[in-house]
mmCIF file of all heavy atoms in Angstrom:
data_model
loop_
_atom_site.group_PDB
_atom_site.id
_atom_site.type_symbol
_atom_site.label_atom_id
_atom_site.label_comp_id
_atom_site.label_asym_id
_atom_site.label_seq_id
_atom_site.Cartn_x
_atom_site.Cartn_y
_atom_site.Cartn_z
ATOM 1 N N LEU R 12 112.452 97.361 121.963
ATOM 2 C CA LEU R 12 111.951 97.789 120.668
ATOM 3 C C LEU R 12 111.377 99.202 120.713
ATOM 4 O O LEU R 12 111.547 99.969 119.780
ATOM 5 C CB LEU R 12 110.930 96.792 120.133
ATOM 6 C CG LEU R 12 111.504 95.396 119.851
ATOM 7 C CD1 LEU R 12 110.393 94.425 119.471
ATOM 8 C CD2 LEU R 12 112.587 95.437 118.790
ATOM 9 N N SER R 13 110.729 99.560 121.807
ATOM 10 C CA SER R 13 110.145 100.907 121.878
ATOM 11 C C SER R 13 111.214 101.978 122.071
ATOM 12 O O SER R 13 111.027 103.127 121.677
ATOM 13 C CB SER R 13 109.097 100.992 122.983
ATOM 14 O OG SER R 13 109.693 100.848 124.253
ATOM 15 N N MET R 14 112.333 101.607 122.662
ATOM 16 C CA MET R 14 113.408 102.580 122.887
ATOM 17 C C MET R 14 114.447 102.562 121.770
ATOM 18 O O MET R 14 115.417 103.309 121.828
ATOM 19 C CB MET R 14 114.104 102.303 124.227
ATOM 20 C CG MET R 14 113.207 102.511 125.413
ATOM 21 S SD MET R 14 113.977 102.280 127.043
ATOM 22 C CE MET R 14 115.350 101.235 126.787
ATOM 23 N N ASN R 15 114.245 101.720 120.760
ATOM 24 C CA ASN R 15 115.239 101.579 119.695
ATOM 25 C C ASN R 15 116.637 101.406 120.272
ATOM 26 O O ASN R 15 117.573 102.094 119.901
ATOM 27 C CB ASN R 15 115.206 102.773 118.736
ATOM 28 C CG ASN R 15 113.958 102.778 117.897
ATOM 29 O OD1 ASN R 15 113.511 101.745 117.435
ATOM 30 N ND2 ASN R 15 113.382 103.949 117.707
ATOM 31 N N SER R 16 116.755 100.473 121.192
ATOM 32 C CA SER R 16 118.028 100.243 121.871
ATOM 33 C C SER R 16 119.080 99.740 120.881
ATOM 34 O O SER R 16 118.737 99.301 119.779
ATOM 35 C CB SER R 16 117.852 99.211 122.992
ATOM 36 O OG SER R 16 117.885 97.908 122.457
ATOM 37 N N PRO R 17 120.337 99.758 121.285
ATOM 38 C CA PRO R 17 121.389 99.229 120.413
ATOM 39 C C PRO R 17 121.197 97.744 120.082
ATOM 40 O O PRO R 17 121.753 97.256 119.117
ATOM 41 C CB PRO R 17 122.673 99.429 121.224
ATOM 42 C CG PRO R 17 122.360 100.478 122.223
ATOM 43 C CD PRO R 17 120.884 100.367 122.500
ATOM 44 N N ARG R 18 120.379 97.050 120.838
ATOM 45 C CA ARG R 18 120.129 95.629 120.597
ATOM 46 C C ARG R 18 118.912 95.373 119.704
ATOM 47 O O ARG R 18 118.651 94.245 119.310
ATOM 48 C CB ARG R 18 119.953 94.897 121.941
ATOM 49 C CG ARG R 18 121.264 94.814 122.715
ATOM 50 C CD ARG R 18 121.041 94.600 124.187
ATOM 51 N NE ARG R 18 120.225 95.636 124.807
ATOM 52 C CZ ARG R 18 120.651 96.883 125.091
ATOM 53 N NH1 ARG R 18 121.878 97.235 124.834
ATOM 54 N NH2 ARG R 18 119.842 97.771 125.646
ATOM 55 N N SER R 19 118.175 96.424 119.369
ATOM 56 C CA SER R 19 116.936 96.256 118.599
ATOM 57 C C SER R 19 117.154 95.494 117.299
ATOM 58 O O SER R 19 116.394 94.572 116.980
ATOM 59 C CB SER R 19 116.303 97.609 118.281
ATOM 60 O OG SER R 19 115.842 98.228 119.445
ATOM 61 N N GLU R 20 118.153 95.872 116.545
ATOM 62 C CA GLU R 20 118.394 95.208 115.243
ATOM 63 C C GLU R 20 118.686 93.727 115.430
ATOM 64 O O GLU R 20 118.285 92.908 114.606
ATOM 65 C CB GLU R 20 119.552 95.891 114.516
ATOM 66 C CG GLU R 20 119.289 97.344 114.202
ATOM 67 C CD GLU R 20 118.931 97.574 112.748
ATOM 68 O OE1 GLU R 20 119.219 96.713 111.912
ATOM 69 O OE2 GLU R 20 118.352 98.639 112.474
ATOM 70 N N THR R 21 119.364 93.362 116.509
ATOM 71 C CA THR R 21 119.684 91.961 116.764
ATOM 72 C C THR R 21 118.448 91.203 117.231
ATOM 73 O O THR R 21 118.370 89.986 117.071
ATOM 74 C CB THR R 21 120.814 91.854 117.815
ATOM 75 O OG1 THR R 21 121.866 92.730 117.433
ATOM 76 C CG2 THR R 21 121.360 90.462 117.906
ATOM 77 N N LEU R 22 117.478 91.916 117.778
ATOM 78 C CA LEU R 22 116.225 91.282 118.204
ATOM 79 C C LEU R 22 115.346 90.883 117.021
ATOM 80 O O LEU R 22 114.578 89.929 117.119
ATOM 81 C CB LEU R 22 115.425 92.223 119.098
ATOM 82 C CG LEU R 22 115.852 92.330 120.541
ATOM 83 C CD1 LEU R 22 115.129 93.480 121.214
ATOM 84 C CD2 LEU R 22 115.593 91.046 121.278
ATOM 85 N N PHE R 23 115.446 91.599 115.922
ATOM 86 C CA PHE R 23 114.559 91.349 114.789
ATOM 87 C C PHE R 23 114.538 89.881 114.357
ATOM 88 O O PHE R 23 113.455 89.316 114.180
ATOM 89 C CB PHE R 23 114.894 92.251 113.600
ATOM 90 C CG PHE R 23 114.655 93.712 113.848
ATOM 91 C CD1 PHE R 23 115.328 94.662 113.100
ATOM 92 C CD2 PHE R 23 113.774 94.160 114.817
ATOM 93 C CE1 PHE R 23 115.126 96.018 113.323
ATOM 94 C CE2 PHE R 23 113.564 95.505 115.056
ATOM 95 C CZ PHE R 23 114.242 96.445 114.292
ATOM 96 N N PRO R 24 115.693 89.234 114.181
ATOM 97 C CA PRO R 24 115.637 87.819 113.771
ATOM 98 C C PRO R 24 114.935 86.917 114.797
ATOM 99 O O PRO R 24 114.355 85.895 114.418
ATOM 100 C CB PRO R 24 117.102 87.415 113.621
ATOM 101 C CG PRO R 24 117.839 88.688 113.432
ATOM 102 C CD PRO R 24 117.066 89.726 114.183
ATOM 103 N N LEU R 25 114.966 87.297 116.075
ATOM 104 C CA LEU R 25 114.307 86.486 117.091
ATOM 105 C C LEU R 25 112.788 86.535 116.974
ATOM 106 O O LEU R 25 112.100 85.581 117.319
ATOM 107 C CB LEU R 25 114.718 86.939 118.494
ATOM 108 C CG LEU R 25 116.144 86.652 118.914
ATOM 109 C CD1 LEU R 25 116.440 87.287 120.266
ATOM 110 C CD2 LEU R 25 116.421 85.163 118.962
ATOM 111 N N VAL R 26 112.271 87.653 116.506
ATOM 112 C CA VAL R 26 110.817 87.788 116.390
ATOM 113 C C VAL R 26 110.331 87.674 114.952
ATOM 114 O O VAL R 26 109.131 87.727 114.700
ATOM 115 C CB VAL R 26 110.319 89.110 117.025
ATOM 116 C CG1 VAL R 26 110.596 89.128 118.509
ATOM 117 C CG2 VAL R 26 110.911 90.320 116.337
ATOM 118 N N GLN R 27 111.247 87.489 114.013
ATOM 119 C CA GLN R 27 110.886 87.428 112.588
ATOM 120 C C GLN R 27 109.890 86.312 112.292
ATOM 121 O O GLN R 27 108.935 86.516 111.539
ATOM 122 C CB GLN R 27 112.141 87.250 111.735
ATOM 123 C CG GLN R 27 111.893 87.450 110.255
ATOM 124 C CD GLN R 27 111.682 88.908 109.916
ATOM 125 O OE1 GLN R 27 112.473 89.746 110.311
ATOM 126 N NE2 GLN R 27 110.624 89.222 109.198
ATOM 127 N N ASN R 28 110.073 85.135 112.892
ATOM 128 C CA ASN R 28 109.141 84.039 112.628
ATOM 129 C C ASN R 28 107.728 84.399 113.092
ATOM 130 O O ASN R 28 106.748 84.020 112.458
ATOM 131 C CB ASN R 28 109.609 82.735 113.287
ATOM 132 C CG ASN R 28 109.654 82.818 114.800
ATOM 133 O OD1 ASN R 28 110.034 83.832 115.376
ATOM 134 N ND2 ASN R 28 109.277 81.752 115.466
ATOM 135 N N ILE R 29 107.637 85.158 114.170
ATOM 136 C CA ILE R 29 106.329 85.555 114.705
ATOM 137 C C ILE R 29 105.662 86.563 113.768
ATOM 138 O O ILE R 29 104.494 86.401 113.395
ATOM 139 C CB ILE R 29 106.485 86.138 116.128
ATOM 140 C CG1 ILE R 29 107.014 85.052 117.079
ATOM 141 C CG2 ILE R 29 105.168 86.727 116.623
ATOM 142 C CD1 ILE R 29 107.481 85.573 118.419
ATOM 143 N N THR R 30 106.399 87.572 113.364
ATOM 144 C CA THR R 30 105.809 88.597 112.489
ATOM 145 C C THR R 30 105.537 88.051 111.093
ATOM 146 O O THR R 30 104.529 88.402 110.484
ATOM 147 C CB THR R 30 106.695 89.856 112.428
ATOM 148 O OG1 THR R 30 108.003 89.509 111.971
ATOM 149 C CG2 THR R 30 106.781 90.535 113.781
ATOM 150 N N ASP R 31 106.414 87.174 110.591
ATOM 151 C CA ASP R 31 106.166 86.571 109.276
ATOM 152 C C ASP R 31 104.890 85.734 109.284
ATOM 153 O O ASP R 31 104.112 85.766 108.331
ATOM 154 C CB ASP R 31 107.351 85.691 108.851
ATOM 155 C CG ASP R 31 108.576 86.488 108.428
ATOM 156 O OD1 ASP R 31 108.478 87.726 108.281
ATOM 157 O OD2 ASP R 31 109.644 85.864 108.259
ATOM 158 N N LEU R 32 104.684 84.986 110.354
ATOM 159 C CA LEU R 32 103.483 84.163 110.449
ATOM 160 C C LEU R 32 102.232 85.034 110.491
ATOM 161 O O LEU R 32 101.255 84.778 109.771
ATOM 162 C CB LEU R 32 103.539 83.261 111.687
ATOM 163 C CG LEU R 32 102.304 82.403 111.941
ATOM 164 C CD1 LEU R 32 102.010 81.486 110.759
ATOM 165 C CD2 LEU R 32 102.469 81.609 113.220
ATOM 166 N N LEU R 33 102.238 86.062 111.312
ATOM 167 C CA LEU R 33 101.083 86.948 111.395
ATOM 168 C C LEU R 33 100.813 87.615 110.047
ATOM 169 O O LEU R 33 99.659 87.661 109.590
ATOM 170 C CB LEU R 33 101.273 88.000 112.495
ATOM 171 C CG LEU R 33 100.132 88.994 112.665
ATOM 172 C CD1 LEU R 33 98.812 88.290 112.942
ATOM 173 C CD2 LEU R 33 100.468 89.986 113.780
ATOM 174 N N ARG R 34 101.858 88.102 109.397
ATOM 175 C CA ARG R 34 101.696 88.735 108.084
ATOM 176 C C ARG R 34 101.057 87.746 107.087
ATOM 177 O O ARG R 34 100.128 88.092 106.368
ATOM 178 C CB ARG R 34 103.033 89.221 107.542
ATOM 179 C CG ARG R 34 102.919 89.900 106.174
ATOM 180 C CD ARG R 34 104.259 90.407 105.659
ATOM 181 N NE ARG R 34 104.688 91.549 106.464
ATOM 182 C CZ ARG R 34 105.682 91.518 107.356
ATOM 183 N NH1 ARG R 34 106.375 90.424 107.548
ATOM 184 N NH2 ARG R 34 105.993 92.600 108.056
ATOM 185 N N SER R 35 101.532 86.526 107.091
ATOM 186 C CA SER R 35 101.006 85.505 106.186
ATOM 187 C C SER R 35 99.525 85.242 106.445
ATOM 188 O O SER R 35 98.720 85.154 105.502
ATOM 189 C CB SER R 35 101.815 84.213 106.357
ATOM 190 O OG SER R 35 101.202 83.147 105.694
ATOM 191 N N ILE R 36 99.157 85.123 107.700
ATOM 192 C CA ILE R 36 97.747 84.892 108.054
ATOM 193 C C ILE R 36 96.882 86.051 107.569
ATOM 194 O O ILE R 36 95.829 85.852 106.959
ATOM 195 C CB ILE R 36 97.595 84.697 109.575
ATOM 196 C CG1 ILE R 36 98.263 83.393 110.026
ATOM 197 C CG2 ILE R 36 96.120 84.729 109.986
ATOM 198 C CD1 ILE R 36 98.424 83.274 111.537
ATOM 199 N N LEU R 37 97.331 87.272 107.837
ATOM 200 C CA LEU R 37 96.541 88.446 107.457
ATOM 201 C C LEU R 37 96.438 88.587 105.944
ATOM 202 O O LEU R 37 95.362 88.899 105.417
ATOM 203 C CB LEU R 37 97.145 89.710 108.080
ATOM 204 C CG LEU R 37 97.069 89.789 109.603
ATOM 205 C CD1 LEU R 37 97.814 91.019 110.109
ATOM 206 C CD2 LEU R 37 95.630 89.773 110.093
ATOM 207 N N GLU R 38 97.533 88.352 105.235
ATOM 208 C CA GLU R 38 97.507 88.469 103.778
ATOM 209 C C GLU R 38 96.604 87.398 103.151
ATOM 210 O O GLU R 38 95.846 87.697 102.227
ATOM 211 C CB GLU R 38 98.927 88.386 103.211
ATOM 212 C CG GLU R 38 99.730 89.637 103.486
ATOM 213 C CD GLU R 38 101.197 89.524 103.096
ATOM 214 O OE1 GLU R 38 101.690 88.397 102.812
ATOM 215 O OE2 GLU R 38 101.877 90.583 103.082
ATOM 216 N N ARG R 39 96.659 86.162 103.664
ATOM 217 C CA ARG R 39 95.775 85.116 103.151
ATOM 218 C C ARG R 39 94.321 85.457 103.440
ATOM 219 O O ARG R 39 93.439 85.282 102.586
ATOM 220 C CB ARG R 39 96.126 83.754 103.768
ATOM 221 C CG ARG R 39 97.321 83.091 103.130
ATOM 222 C CD ARG R 39 97.574 81.675 103.629
ATOM 223 N NE ARG R 39 97.733 81.595 105.075
ATOM 224 C CZ ARG R 39 96.859 81.042 105.916
ATOM 225 N NH1 ARG R 39 95.760 80.502 105.462
ATOM 226 N NH2 ARG R 39 97.086 81.016 107.211
ATOM 227 N N GLY R 40 94.063 85.944 104.655
ATOM 228 C CA GLY R 40 92.694 86.316 105.013
ATOM 229 C C GLY R 40 92.159 87.452 104.166
ATOM 230 O O GLY R 40 90.996 87.456 103.768
ATOM 231 N N GLN R 41 93.024 88.405 103.862
ATOM 232 C CA GLN R 41 92.615 89.525 103.020
ATOM 233 C C GLN R 41 92.343 89.035 101.589
ATOM 234 O O GLN R 41 91.335 89.405 100.988
ATOM 235 C CB GLN R 41 93.697 90.606 103.027
ATOM 236 C CG GLN R 41 93.292 91.864 102.292
ATOM 237 C CD GLN R 41 94.311 92.974 102.459
ATOM 238 O OE1 GLN R 41 95.499 92.736 102.602
ATOM 239 N NE2 GLN R 41 93.839 94.205 102.453
ATOM 240 N N ALA R 42 93.221 88.186 101.066
ATOM 241 C CA ALA R 42 93.051 87.663 99.707
ATOM 242 C C ALA R 42 91.766 86.838 99.579
ATOM 243 O O ALA R 42 91.111 86.861 98.533
ATOM 244 C CB ALA R 42 94.267 86.826 99.304
ATOM 245 N N GLN R 43 91.390 86.139 100.635
ATOM 246 C CA GLN R 43 90.182 85.307 100.621
ATOM 247 C C GLN R 43 88.916 86.090 100.985
ATOM 248 O O GLN R 43 87.820 85.536 100.971
ATOM 249 C CB GLN R 43 90.343 84.128 101.593
ATOM 250 C CG GLN R 43 91.387 83.122 101.181
ATOM 251 C CD GLN R 43 91.561 82.023 102.222
ATOM 252 O OE1 GLN R 43 90.714 81.793 103.085
ATOM 253 N NE2 GLN R 43 92.684 81.331 102.141
ATOM 254 N N GLY R 44 89.068 87.344 101.358
ATOM 255 C CA GLY R 44 87.921 88.154 101.749
ATOM 256 C C GLY R 44 87.444 87.893 103.171
ATOM 257 O O GLY R 44 86.400 88.378 103.583
ATOM 258 N N VAL R 45 88.223 87.138 103.930
ATOM 259 C CA VAL R 45 87.883 86.841 105.326
ATOM 260 C C VAL R 45 88.168 88.057 106.200
ATOM 261 O O VAL R 45 87.454 88.324 107.161
ATOM 262 C CB VAL R 45 88.663 85.605 105.827
ATOM 263 C CG1 VAL R 45 88.416 85.341 107.302
ATOM 264 C CG2 VAL R 45 88.323 84.381 104.990
ATOM 265 N N PHE R 46 89.235 88.784 105.881
ATOM 266 C CA PHE R 46 89.623 89.988 106.619
ATOM 267 C C PHE R 46 89.540 91.194 105.688
ATOM 268 O O PHE R 46 89.840 91.111 104.502
ATOM 269 C CB PHE R 46 91.067 89.897 107.136
ATOM 270 C CG PHE R 46 91.362 88.700 107.991
ATOM 271 C CD1 PHE R 46 92.621 88.120 107.955
ATOM 272 C CD2 PHE R 46 90.411 88.151 108.838
ATOM 273 C CE1 PHE R 46 92.924 87.028 108.744
ATOM 274 C CE2 PHE R 46 90.698 87.047 109.632
ATOM 275 C CZ PHE R 46 91.965 86.486 109.579
ATOM 276 N N ARG R 47 89.142 92.314 106.257
ATOM 277 C CA ARG R 47 89.102 93.587 105.551
ATOM 278 C C ARG R 47 90.138 94.484 106.220
ATOM 279 O O ARG R 47 89.961 94.915 107.362
ATOM 280 C CB ARG R 47 87.695 94.182 105.674
ATOM 281 C CG ARG R 47 87.476 95.507 105.012
ATOM 282 C CD ARG R 47 86.044 96.025 105.237
ATOM 283 N NE ARG R 47 85.372 95.583 106.445
ATOM 284 C CZ ARG R 47 85.544 96.117 107.673
ATOM 285 N NH1 ARG R 47 86.362 97.106 107.866
ATOM 286 N NH2 ARG R 47 84.870 95.647 108.705
ATOM 287 N N LEU R 48 91.238 94.735 105.514
ATOM 288 C CA LEU R 48 92.347 95.479 106.102
ATOM 289 C C LEU R 48 92.674 96.706 105.261
ATOM 290 O O LEU R 48 92.774 96.609 104.040
ATOM 291 C CB LEU R 48 93.600 94.592 106.180
ATOM 292 C CG LEU R 48 93.450 93.205 106.789
ATOM 293 C CD1 LEU R 48 94.741 92.418 106.636
ATOM 294 C CD2 LEU R 48 93.058 93.314 108.247
ATOM 295 N N HIS R 49 92.884 97.811 105.926
ATOM 296 C CA HIS R 49 93.376 99.004 105.238
ATOM 297 C C HIS R 49 94.867 98.834 104.960
ATOM 298 O O HIS R 49 95.345 99.164 103.888
ATOM 299 C CB HIS R 49 93.115 100.249 106.092
ATOM 300 C CG HIS R 49 93.767 101.482 105.587
ATOM 301 N ND1 HIS R 49 93.336 102.123 104.441
ATOM 302 C CD2 HIS R 49 94.831 102.179 106.028
ATOM 303 C CE1 HIS R 49 94.114 103.166 104.219
ATOM 304 N NE2 HIS R 49 95.021 103.222 105.160
#
C-alpha cells in the first residue's frame, strides 16, 4: 500500500471490511459526541 504497487487496487477489497468497520465506529462516536474528530 505504501508503494502503490500494481496489486494495491486488488488489496482494497481485502481490507475494506476493516476500514468500513473503523469508519462506522468513528462516525457513530462522533455523532454521539463520544469522539471529537476533525
Side-chain angles (χ1 to χ4, degrees):
L12 296 174
S13 67
M14 295 183 336
N15 290 320
S16 82
R18 290 158 302 285
S19 293
E20 299 257 341
T21 311
L22 281 170
F23 294 157
L25 290 174
V26 296
Q27 191 73 50
N28 63 321
I29 296 168
T30 58
D31 286 350
L32 177 58
L33 179 57
R34 180 179 290 107
S35 169
I36 293 167
L37 293 175
E38 287 173 348
R39 281 187 304 110
Q41 186 173 31
Q43 293 177 18
V45 175
F46 304 147
R47 180 182 27 81
L48 311 173
H49 171 71

